[in-house]
Every structure is written in structure tokens, then in C-alpha cells.
């Protein structure tokens, strides 16, 4: 067995207050593409500066670029089911080991899997609001609107509707709660994130324990202090955590 599988399972067994920071790599096995992975949205977008899709200033100038992408994205997320790793985190919460998840994802798959304490720091798309009169629309209503309109507009005032996602240039949600969760943790698992986006990338090093990063691909280590980092596992999440779960369940019985 892979030594990193053993070490991860052992650290989980020894911990009583685990926090997770999850990213888009968590949901690629559920069929939702990430941003920066080899099949990610940025690579496939075929535009010069793909980051402008989620830039708030650009959204107010021309929301059609965002909605072109969002139409496809809503199709992915309405069909997606939680992965093995999402479900393993539910087990760790039930076992009293995991105290909470900070997710950069907007797909709500952690909640769909059954995780109870989840901070969606980049928001979600279940709720949407008119940028002028603030009338609220459900995801289902937006889904229906973008079938017929390029840009969904408010029924009441005719202005553009925006999902409750955190765009680049907007403040994240639940920052204090997320920081507290990390500060009180004795182990942080960073799962499927390139750690390229702040302030999310700054959270893991707040732990008083160690950080394990499991991410297939490049990880930006700007905000990961060496003293806190246990190790980086450059492997596919579900493959790795199936082995970790076997080992963890064996150790639990001892
Ligand atoms: P990212 O920068 O796209 O990084 C994802 C990382 O995961 C990449 O390094 C991939 O190589 C890696 N990866 C992909 N699949 C796997 C896998 N199966 N196992 C292990 N590693 C894998 O995404 P971040 O989350 O770091 O960046 C933050 C952005 C992405 C947030 O603002 C999110 O809202 C946004 N995003 C979310 C979703 C979603 O909700 N599912 C999808 C796409 C983008």
C-alpha cells in the first residue's frame, strides 16, 4: 500500500477536529469540469482571458459571456451526483472527526451527499437576484429563462438577474466562520484545489495542526507554510480516498 495512504489514515485517526477546504477537483468525477485542470473551463473556453467570465466588472458590462458559460454549467450541476470522496467526508462528520467544510464549489454536492456543516465561501446558484430591484429567482426559474433568453431579465423591472455567486472582485461569504473553523482544527484536508484563489488559499495555514493537500496537478504554495504542510498527494481523489477509507475503517476497529 501507498505510504501516503497509511499516513493520511493515521493522521485522520489521531485527529478530533478536521477541517476541509474543497475545490473544483472534488466534483470532476461527478462530471463537472474544474477551472484550471487539463479539461477545465479555462482551457476549453477558447477566449483570451477566461477569468473575465467571472469578473464582476465585466459581468455588469456584458453579462452574455457569463450566461453562455452558466447555461452549460447549470446542465452539469443539475445532473451531478456526489462522488466517493464527498460521501467519505460525510462518514468522517458522523464519526465526529470532521468539524466542517469550507468549499469553493458552487455545485452544493457536499450538501447533496449529506454533509451538515458546509460554508460555501463563493456562494451558490440556488438563489438569484435582480441587480436592481433584488427580486429573488430560484435556480429552476433561471434554468427555464435561459432556455429562451440569452440573458435572464427580471419580470418586475427588466434588469439583469445575477446568481448569488461570488465573482472575482466581490467579497467572499462566511470568511470569519471559515477562519474560525480552520483555527480550531487539528488537521486540514485540502481537496481538489489548485490553491490559486485568495482568500480561500490562505485558510489552511491557520490550522494549529497539519495540512494534507490531495490534488492531481499543480498547487500554488504561496500561502502554504512549510511548517504546517504534512505532504502533498498528487493523485486522483476518489482513487486515493477509497484506499484511505479502507485503511481508516481497519484502524477504527483496532
Ligand atoms: P481549480 O483552480 O480549477 O483547481 C482544481 C484542481 O483540481 C486542479 O489542480 C485539477 O488538476 C485538480 N483536479 C481535478 N480533478 C481532480 C480529481 N479527480 N482528483 C484530484 N485532483 C483533481 O479550482 P479551485 O477550486 O482551486 O478554484 C477555485 C474556483 C473554481 C472557485 O471559485 C470555484 O467556484 C470554481 N469552480 C467550481 C466548480 C464547482 O462548483 N464544481 C467548478 C468549476 C470551477
Amino acid at each position: 500500500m501507498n505510504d501516503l495512504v497509511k499516513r493520511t489514515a493515521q493522521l485522520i485517526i489521531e485527529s478530533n477536529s478536521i477541517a476541509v477546504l474543497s475545490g473544483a477537483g472534488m466534483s470532476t468525477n461527478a462530471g463537472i469540469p474544474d477551472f484550471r485542470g487539463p479539461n477545465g473551463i479555462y482551457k476549453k473556453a477558447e477566449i483570451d482571458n477566461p477569468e473575465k467570465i467571472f469578473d464582476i466588472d465585466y459581468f455588469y458590462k456584458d453579462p452574455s459571456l457569463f450566461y453562455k458559460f452558466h447555461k452549460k454549467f447549470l446542465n452539469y450541476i443539475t445532473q451531478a451526483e456526489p462522488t466517493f470522496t464527498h460521501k467519505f467526508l460525510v462518514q468522517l462528520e458522523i464519526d465526529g472527526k470532521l468539524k466542517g467544510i469550507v468549499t469553493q464549489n458552487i455545485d452544493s454536492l457536499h450538501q447533496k451527499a449529506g454533509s451538515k456543516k458546509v460554508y460555501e465561501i463563493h456562494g451558490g446558484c440556488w438563489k438569484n437576484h435582480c441587480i436592481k430591484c433584488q427580486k429573488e429567482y430560484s435556480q429552476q426559474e433561471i434554468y427555464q429563462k435561459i432556455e429562451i433568453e440569452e440573458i435572464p431579465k427580471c419580470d418586475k423591472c427588466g434588469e439583469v438577474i445575477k446568481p448569488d455567486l461570488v465573482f472575482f472582485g466581490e467579497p467572499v461569504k462566511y470568511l470569519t466562520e471559515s477562519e474560525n473553523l480552520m483555527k480550531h482544527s487539528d488537521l486540514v484536508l485540502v481537496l481538489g484545489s489548485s490553491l490559486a484563489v485568495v482568500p480561500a488559499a490562505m485558510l489552511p495555514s491557520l490550522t494549529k495542526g497539519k495540512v494534507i493537500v490531495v490534488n492531481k496537478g499543480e498547487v500554488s504554495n504561496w500561502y502554504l507554510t512549510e511548517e504546517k504542510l504534512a505532504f502533498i498527494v498528487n493523485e486522483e481523489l476518489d482513487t486515493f480516498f477509497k484506499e484511505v477509507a479502507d485503511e481508516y475503517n481497519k484502524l477504527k476497529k483496532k
Side-chain angles (χ1 to χ4, degrees):
M1 182 194 299
N2 182 332
D3 179 50
L4 294 179
V5 168
K6 276 196 171 164
R7 288 171 67 191
T8 303
Q10 188 60 43
L11 278 169
I12 292 175
I13 285 286
E14 288 164 7
S15 303
N16 294 307
S17 194
I18 302 172
V20 163
L21 172 68
S22 68
M26 187 83 205
S27 300
T28 51
N29 282 336
I32 306 175
D34 58 15
F35 276 176
R36 297 176 183 82
N39 297 311
I41 289 158
Y42 286 173
K43 302 260 157 51
K44 303 264 161 162
E46 290 175 351
I47 52 174
D48 277 352
N49 176 9
E51 296 202 347
K52 72 182 178 196
I53 302 173
F54 303 97
D55 182 287
I56 194 61
D57 294 332
Y58 197 85
F59 178 84
Y60 285 123
K61 252 189 277 165
D62 173 17
S64 69
L65 179 67
F66 167 77
Y67 273 111
K68 220 161 90 188
F69 153 80
H70 197 52
K71 190 171 177 176
K72 281 194 218 151
F73 194 75
L74 280 184
N75 268 326
Y76 293 132
I77 65 170
T78 43
Q79 286 161 29
E81 290 300 326
T83 65
F84 177 86
T85 308
H86 285 101
K87 292 176 196 158
F88 181 56
L89 298 183
V90 179
Q91 184 195 346
L92 292 182
E93 192 177 29
I94 292 169
D95 289 354
K97 297 259 166 211
L98 178 70
K99 300 302 179 207
I101 298 171
V102 178
T103 188
Q104 300 169 86
N105 294 344
I106 53 174
D107 55 30
S108 298
L109 283 184
H110 286 297
Q111 296 92 320
K112 199 168 180 183
S115 288
K116 298 283 180 255
K117 193 157 175 194
V118 183
Y119 296 125
E120 292 181 307
I121 48 169
H122 292 165
C125 27
W126 304 108
K127 282 190 188 169
N128 305 263
H129 287 91
C130 167
I131 59 170
K132 189 173 175 202
C133 73
Q134 298 302 318
K135 182 172 177 337
E136 187 174 311
Y137 293 86
S138 67
Q139 178 174 298
Q140 191 56 28
E141 286 171 297
I142 299 301
Y143 200 60
Q144 285 162 358
K145 272 181 177 289
I146 52 180
E147 279 300 306
I148 40 178
E149 299 171 61
E150 189 191 10
I151 301 166
K153 300 269 173 69
C154 179
D155 302 332
K156 205 168 128 198
C157 73
E159 252 302 352
V160 174
I161 303 169
K162 176 186 171 292
D164 289 5
L165 302 179
V166 174
F167 282 59
F168 291 118
E170 290 189 300
V172 298
K173 299 173 192 266
Y174 309 112
L175 185 58
T176 308
E177 292 87 341
S178 302
E179 285 174 344
N180 284 337
L181 179 70
M182 295 289 161
K183 278 181 195 161
H184 292 110
S185 66
D186 55 10
L187 176 67
V188 174
L189 305 175
V190 176
L191 307 179
S193 175
S194 62
L195 291 180
V197 177
V198 287
M202 298 161 88
L203 294 171
S205 286
L206 294 175
T207 184
K208 55 183 186 308
K210 289 283 179 190
V211 180
I212 300 175
V213 179
V214 186
N215 189 65
K216 188 151 183 58
E218 240 177 84
V219 175
S220 155
N221 56 6
W222 270 91
Y223 301 100
L224 264 182
T225 57
E226 230 172 83
E227 156 231 351
K228 296 283 169 76
L229 181 66
F231 45 85
I232 297 180
V233 184
N234 192 351
E235 281 189 40
E236 200 281 312
L237 276 167
D238 286 349
T239 314
F240 182 72
F241 275 103
K242 276 178 191 159
E243 289 192 59
V244 171
D246 282 349
E247 182 65 9
Y248 165 74
N249 284 316
K250 270 188 226 151
L251 292 172
K252 227 172 71 166
K253 285 187 196 136
K254 278 190 183 165

